[in-house]
Amino acid sequence: LSSEINETCGFYVRVGDAVEVVASAISTHALSYTMKIGARAPLYAVSAGKIVLANLKPVDWKEYLARVVLVSATPQTIRSKVRLKQEIETIKATGFAYSHEEFSAGITAVATAVRRNTTFVGALNIAVPSVRFTPNRDGEFREALRVNAQAIAAALG
């Protein structure tokens, strides 16, 4: 995926109320984002985490909302549970989640779910300096994510 679009990509899994990078490939652009294996981020602040939230069972989603405290990582971090709920509904409808400089200033990311059959496995994402995240590239990124998530799912059997 990274070589196809020449941007940084990662695969994340849920660890409690966070997501953890378990695989990443870094863009060859001079200006790029680096995802370090083992790095964690809160579910509400990153695209991969929002994919996890959109795939929670209703009871788990309700429990998460009851306990989570929305702490700012950047000025753009979601601080409203109402807004978070709205975003999660949009993600469920579209299959794609975004983080617009909500965890890392200057970085926009988009993610989608990877499933084995119908079971959620993790999230595949693309993280791009915001100056390169244009509407045209957004469509390209979504299609590349869709195709690659399906390929990973097929490889998982």
Side-chain angles (χ1 to χ4, degrees), residues 74-76 101-107 130:
T74 74
Q76 279 65 47
E101 302 188 22
E102 295 166 49
F103 187 69
S104 298
I107 300 298
S130 296

Side-chain angles (χ1 to χ4, degrees), residues 30-130:
L31 178 61
S32 62
Y33 183 67
T34 301
M35 291 179 215
K36 296 179 182 175
I37 303 297
R40 292 186 181 178
L43 296 174
Y44 62 87
V46 295
S47 61
K50 292 176 188 179
I51 287 292
V52 169
L53 292 174
N55 282 275
L56 289 179
K57 294 176 183 169
V59 67
D60 296 330
W61 169 238
K62 185 176 179 180
E63 290 172 1
Y64 173 80
L65 281 176
R67 75 175 170 270
V68 71
V69 175
L70 304 175
V71 177
S72 291
T74 74
Q76 279 65 47
T77 305
I78 291 175
R79 294 294 307 272
S80 160
K81 290 183 181 182
V82 170
R83 181 171 160 218
L84 181 60
K85 288 179 194 178
Q86 292 168 340
E87 276 202 38
I88 298 307
E89 288 306 311
T90 300
I91 294 162
K92 287 179 181 181
T94 66
F96 295 95
Y98 292 87
S99 175
H100 298 282
E101 302 188 22
E102 295 166 49
F103 187 69
S104 298
I107 300 298
T108 297
V110 58
T112 197
V114 174
R115 292 181 177 79
R116 182 176 187 192
N117 299 315
T118 58
T119 303
F120 177 78
V121 176
L124 183 63
N125 94 327
I126 300 169
V128 180
S130 296

